[in-house]
Amino acid sequence: MLVLENLKRVVTCAPAGVSGPLLREHMGDLAPLEGDLAVAVRDGRVAFVGPRAKLPAGFARAPRHDCRGLLLTPALIDCHTHPAFVRSRADEFEMRLAGASYEEIAARGGGILSSMKAVREAGDAELLAATRRNLQRLRDHGVAVVEGKSGYGLNQQHELRQLRAIRDAGEALDMHTIRTCLAAHSFPPEFRGDDARREAYVRQVCDEILPAAAKDGLAQRADVFCEQGVFSVAQAAAVANAARRHGLRVTVHAEQLSASGGAALAAGVGADSADHLEFADAAAVSAMARAGTSAVLLPGSTYHLRMGQWADGRAMIGAGLCVALATDFNPGSSPIPNPCFVMNLAVMRCGLTPAEALAAFMRNAAHALRLDTAQWGLVAPGARAAFALWDVEHERELAYYAGANLCREVITCQGWRF
Ligand code: NIG
Ligand code: FE
């Protein structure tokens, strides 16, 4: 048992009468509480949140945690990251600043393939240590639940090593990880050259890598980078269907660099989410709305790649989509481990309000991952006991102080992950 006290403001993200994700006009309804507040925890779950004077008698002698008058929210959920990378790609960053494009660098064997090389060369201990450092960076910025993708192994052995590193690093840091096999991130050097080689890699992903990743729950989901010059819509459909057959849930990197049909494909296969969506048009958005496919916006990568086109979050909210945000933390397109900075970008460039941007990292991120929104991404009785404390007076400041780390503490309580 534990009682959190010395709280003046708590963002519950639990407006009365709303279940599931926060949609349309409800998206900004964070249902904050004010006053002399307390949160009580038993067995890893929230048992009470409200005025300290109403704390149930059973908690009178429970240990206390002093929250120092800071703002309390649910711990953030980062629903799209690539954390199992070993080295920065700041060298390519300089090349891009000097004029080379992301696609040009990739075509020269840099980009995703340079991260692949580093992963394949690293020993298990080095890969785990690097992954752990990357997840720690997210935790330092308020995150306790993280979706982590492989995708820098690009063969069975190294994809599985990445997934294990994410699992083990998460356990070491008491973070809850959702693991996604992204073997279909790029074509490895062994399978480049012609269409037949590329098709052979797709078959290997479908018939060997995904089933191995699904075994024993190592991965829960599969992802595919559907983009011109990478995986075609037909290849992405094959990956999605194979994932399903092996019991994996599906998500898609869609419409990031061009309008390449990934969002319609995601809707068509009933994917949990389509992510990026800078180039998604109105037809794609309505297909996603009909299919119940969530939109995960990653404006950190739009910013870092200096793109002119930003995802139109306002239109997606208006169409009734569950809109979530994530850091996309990775060494190539988004070396950005700070969700508050991503909230700032979403507010400045994607049309979200500060309250909506925060909901997009809490309850809506839970739904994008198909976590139960009665337990994840909110502070209410029955919710998982993971919280973040912020050095601000009001939650609107989280999207406002761009670049600062406002998180003072992430509190994860005994048993919260199970
Ligand atoms: O989400 N779009 C493809 N994948 C990543 C980038 C990965 C990388 O460059 O290493 C993304 O932007
Ligand atoms: Fe990504």
mmCIF file of all heavy atoms in Angstrom, residues 342-360:
data_model
loop_
_atom_site.group_PDB
_atom_site.id
_atom_site.type_symbol
_atom_site.label_atom_id
_atom_site.label_comp_id
_atom_site.label_asym_id
_atom_site.label_seq_id
_atom_site.Cartn_x
_atom_site.Cartn_y
_atom_site.Cartn_z
ATOM 1 N N VAL A 342 7.457 16.817 -28.245
ATOM 2 C CA VAL A 342 6.564 16.316 -29.299
ATOM 3 C C VAL A 342 5.171 16.945 -29.149
ATOM 4 O O VAL A 342 4.527 17.308 -30.146
ATOM 5 C CB VAL A 342 6.514 14.778 -29.259
ATOM 6 C CG1 VAL A 342 5.463 14.234 -30.223
ATOM 7 C CG2 VAL A 342 7.888 14.197 -29.594
ATOM 8 N N MET A 343 4.715 17.099 -27.906
ATOM 9 C CA MET A 343 3.423 17.788 -27.684
ATOM 10 C C MET A 343 3.489 19.208 -28.227
ATOM 11 O O MET A 343 2.544 19.708 -28.850
ATOM 12 C CB MET A 343 3.095 17.851 -26.188
ATOM 13 C CG MET A 343 2.719 16.528 -25.560
ATOM 14 S SD MET A 343 2.389 16.782 -23.787
ATOM 15 C CE MET A 343 2.969 15.219 -23.139
ATOM 16 N N ASN A 344 4.616 19.874 -27.982
ATOM 17 C CA ASN A 344 4.770 21.242 -28.482
ATOM 18 C C ASN A 344 4.658 21.270 -30.007
ATOM 19 O O ASN A 344 3.948 22.103 -30.587
ATOM 20 C CB ASN A 344 6.114 21.816 -28.018
ATOM 21 C CG ASN A 344 6.377 23.196 -28.599
ATOM 22 O OD1 ASN A 344 7.001 23.329 -29.649
ATOM 23 N ND2 ASN A 344 5.858 24.221 -27.955
ATOM 24 N N LEU A 345 5.326 20.336 -30.674
ATOM 25 C CA LEU A 345 5.252 20.287 -32.144
ATOM 26 C C LEU A 345 3.824 20.008 -32.604
ATOM 27 O O LEU A 345 3.346 20.597 -33.584
ATOM 28 C CB LEU A 345 6.195 19.207 -32.680
ATOM 29 C CG LEU A 345 7.692 19.448 -32.457
ATOM 30 C CD1 LEU A 345 8.486 18.215 -32.881
ATOM 31 C CD2 LEU A 345 8.169 20.677 -33.219
ATOM 32 N N ALA A 346 3.127 19.119 -31.908
ATOM 33 C CA ALA A 346 1.754 18.770 -32.299
ATOM 34 C C ALA A 346 0.831 19.976 -32.175
ATOM 35 O O ALA A 346 -0.098 20.157 -32.964
ATOM 36 C CB ALA A 346 1.248 17.611 -31.442
ATOM 37 N N VAL A 347 1.118 20.801 -31.169
ATOM 38 C CA VAL A 347 0.304 21.993 -30.949
ATOM 39 C C VAL A 347 0.642 23.069 -31.985
ATOM 40 O O VAL A 347 -0.239 23.735 -32.544
ATOM 41 C CB VAL A 347 0.571 22.489 -29.505
ATOM 42 C CG1 VAL A 347 0.117 23.898 -29.314
ATOM 43 C CG2 VAL A 347 -0.086 21.554 -28.510
ATOM 44 N N MET A 348 1.943 23.209 -32.270
ATOM 45 C CA MET A 348 2.374 24.262 -33.189
ATOM 46 C C MET A 348 2.059 23.919 -34.648
ATOM 47 O O MET A 348 1.795 24.800 -35.447
ATOM 48 C CB MET A 348 3.893 24.497 -33.056
ATOM 49 C CG MET A 348 4.353 24.879 -31.661
ATOM 50 S SD MET A 348 3.765 26.484 -31.110
ATOM 51 C CE MET A 348 4.949 27.561 -31.887
ATOM 52 N N ARG A 349 2.141 22.621 -35.010
ATOM 53 C CA ARG A 349 2.115 22.256 -36.424
ATOM 54 C C ARG A 349 1.000 21.300 -36.844
ATOM 55 O O ARG A 349 0.713 21.171 -38.023
ATOM 56 C CB ARG A 349 3.468 21.656 -36.856
ATOM 57 C CG ARG A 349 4.681 22.474 -36.498
ATOM 58 C CD ARG A 349 4.621 23.944 -36.878
ATOM 59 N NE ARG A 349 4.491 24.205 -38.294
ATOM 60 C CZ ARG A 349 5.451 24.585 -39.114
ATOM 61 N NH1 ARG A 349 6.667 24.775 -38.642
ATOM 62 N NH2 ARG A 349 5.216 24.809 -40.387
ATOM 63 N N CYS A 350 0.391 20.566 -35.896
ATOM 64 C CA CYS A 350 -0.614 19.559 -36.280
ATOM 65 C C CYS A 350 -2.021 19.955 -35.843
ATOM 66 O O CYS A 350 -2.963 19.176 -36.042
ATOM 67 C CB CYS A 350 -0.267 18.188 -35.707
ATOM 68 S SG CYS A 350 1.366 17.593 -36.172
ATOM 69 N N GLY A 351 -2.163 21.109 -35.205
ATOM 70 C CA GLY A 351 -3.504 21.598 -34.894
ATOM 71 C C GLY A 351 -4.117 21.063 -33.622
ATOM 72 O O GLY A 351 -5.324 21.225 -33.394
ATOM 73 N N LEU A 352 -3.335 20.434 -32.746
ATOM 74 C CA LEU A 352 -3.897 19.968 -31.476
ATOM 75 C C LEU A 352 -3.847 21.084 -30.445
ATOM 76 O O LEU A 352 -3.018 22.008 -30.537
ATOM 77 C CB LEU A 352 -3.099 18.757 -30.943
ATOM 78 C CG LEU A 352 -3.512 17.379 -31.478
ATOM 79 C CD1 LEU A 352 -3.224 17.240 -32.954
ATOM 80 C CD2 LEU A 352 -2.820 16.256 -30.697
ATOM 81 N N THR A 353 -4.713 21.007 -29.439
ATOM 82 C CA THR A 353 -4.602 21.901 -28.293
ATOM 83 C C THR A 353 -3.640 21.257 -27.285
ATOM 84 O O THR A 353 -3.388 20.042 -27.342
ATOM 85 C CB THR A 353 -5.963 22.101 -27.606
ATOM 86 O OG1 THR A 353 -6.353 20.848 -27.008
ATOM 87 C CG2 THR A 353 -7.034 22.554 -28.584
ATOM 88 N N PRO A 354 -3.124 22.047 -26.330
ATOM 89 C CA PRO A 354 -2.238 21.442 -25.318
ATOM 90 C C PRO A 354 -2.910 20.290 -24.571
ATOM 91 O O PRO A 354 -2.271 19.262 -24.316
ATOM 92 C CB PRO A 354 -1.911 22.612 -24.395
ATOM 93 C CG PRO A 354 -1.952 23.800 -25.311
ATOM 94 C CD PRO A 354 -3.120 23.527 -26.243
ATOM 95 N N ALA A 355 -4.181 20.418 -24.244
ATOM 96 C CA ALA A 355 -4.862 19.335 -23.527
ATOM 97 C C ALA A 355 -4.987 18.095 -24.410
ATOM 98 O O ALA A 355 -4.770 16.964 -23.955
ATOM 99 C CB ALA A 355 -6.245 19.800 -23.061
ATOM 100 N N GLU A 356 -5.315 18.305 -25.673
ATOM 101 C CA GLU A 356 -5.411 17.155 -26.590
ATOM 102 C C GLU A 356 -4.058 16.468 -26.756
ATOM 103 O O GLU A 356 -3.978 15.228 -26.824
ATOM 104 C CB GLU A 356 -5.922 17.621 -27.955
ATOM 105 C CG GLU A 356 -7.389 18.010 -27.950
ATOM 106 C CD GLU A 356 -7.820 18.720 -29.230
ATOM 107 O OE1 GLU A 356 -6.943 19.239 -29.968
ATOM 108 O OE2 GLU A 356 -9.038 18.793 -29.481
ATOM 109 N N ALA A 357 -3.001 17.269 -26.811
ATOM 110 C CA ALA A 357 -1.667 16.683 -26.992
ATOM 111 C C ALA A 357 -1.304 15.801 -25.803
ATOM 112 O O ALA A 357 -0.655 14.763 -25.959
ATOM 113 C CB ALA A 357 -0.638 17.787 -27.187
ATOM 114 N N LEU A 358 -1.731 16.202 -24.613
ATOM 115 C CA LEU A 358 -1.448 15.369 -23.433
ATOM 116 C C LEU A 358 -2.305 14.099 -23.448
ATOM 117 O O LEU A 358 -1.793 12.993 -23.209
ATOM 118 C CB LEU A 358 -1.690 16.199 -22.159
ATOM 119 C CG LEU A 358 -1.367 15.523 -20.832
ATOM 120 C CD1 LEU A 358 0.048 14.953 -20.798
ATOM 121 C CD2 LEU A 358 -1.551 16.529 -19.691
ATOM 122 N N ALA A 359 -3.569 14.227 -23.780
ATOM 123 C CA ALA A 359 -4.426 13.023 -23.891
ATOM 124 C C ALA A 359 -3.845 12.044 -24.895
ATOM 125 O O ALA A 359 -3.951 10.821 -24.738
ATOM 126 C CB ALA A 359 -5.843 13.428 -24.310
ATOM 127 N N ALA A 360 -3.196 12.595 -25.922
ATOM 128 C CA ALA A 360 -2.617 11.763 -26.980
ATOM 129 C C ALA A 360 -1.417 10.957 -26.494
ATOM 130 O O ALA A 360 -0.990 10.019 -27.166
ATOM 131 C CB ALA A 360 -2.209 12.642 -28.161
#
